[in-house]
Amino acid sequence: MLEKGLTHTSTLTVTDQLTAITLGSGDMAVLATPAMMALMENAAMLAVAPHLPEGSTTVGGQISSSHLRPSLTGACVTATATLERVDGRKLYFHVEARQGDTLIGEGTHLRFVVDRTRFMENAKL
C-alpha cells in the first residue's frame, strides 16, 4: 500500500560518464545536474516499487531541484526520496542529494502509477 513516509536512498560514484562535460549540460568535470536528478528519480521509483499492484510501475512526470555544490569524479553521492503525498495515481516526493553530510541538491518530484502494458502500448507511434 502506498503511504506517506515511504523512503529509499540510492547511491552512485561520480564517473567520467556522469560529468557535465560528457552529458553536455556544462563544460566542467563535475557531476552533471541531469545525473543527480536521475539518481533522485531512481530513489523515488525504488521507494514505492515494492508496494505497487502487480503489473504496475511508476513514471516520472515532473522534477524540480536545486544543485547547490559540485561533486568531483570519484565522489560518492546519495539521493533520498520520501513520499509526501498520494493523490490517486499521483505520487509527490521530497528529494535530496548529499555528498557525505553535505546537501548538494534538493527539490520535489512527481511520479505517476501506470499499468506497464498499457503504458508501452500508448508509447507506440
Side-chain angles (χ1 to χ4, degrees):
M1 178 169 204
L2 296 174
E3 294 181 352
K4 179 180 176 178
L6 292 174
T7 190
H8 183 82
T9 299
S10 295
T11 304
L12 65 72
T13 299
V14 180
T15 63
D16 289 337
Q17 292 78 19
L18 298 174
T19 63
I21 291 172
T22 301
L23 293 183
S25 63
D27 62 2
M28 298 182 67
V30 295
L31 178 65
T33 301
M36 181 191 74
M37 293 174 87
L39 186 66
M40 291 171 162
E41 286 198 70
N42 178 263
M45 174 193 69
L46 293 174
V48 297
H51 306 279
L52 295 172
E54 188 173 333
S56 295
T57 190
T58 60
V59 295
Q62 188 273 336
I63 189 165
S64 176
S65 176
S66 61
H67 194 166
L68 305 170
R69 298 190 52 101
S71 300
L72 299 173
T73 302
C76 179
V77 174
T78 61
T80 301
T82 303
L83 183 60
E84 293 195 320
R85 185 166 59 109
V86 178
D87 181 10
R89 297 184 322 113
K90 296 178 183 178
L91 308 177
Y92 296 88
F93 294 86
H94 172 77
V95 290
E96 65 178 40
R98 293 186 175 274
Q99 182 179 328
D101 292 332
T102 303
L103 182 70
I104 64 167
E106 69 177 329
T108 59
H109 179 41
L110 168 65
R111 295 188 75 77
F112 293 92
V113 178
V114 299
D115 178 270
R116 288 177 180 273
T117 302
R118 189 173 322 136
F119 184 84
M120 292 306 292
E121 286 176 4
N122 287 337
K124 296 176 185 173
L125 296 178

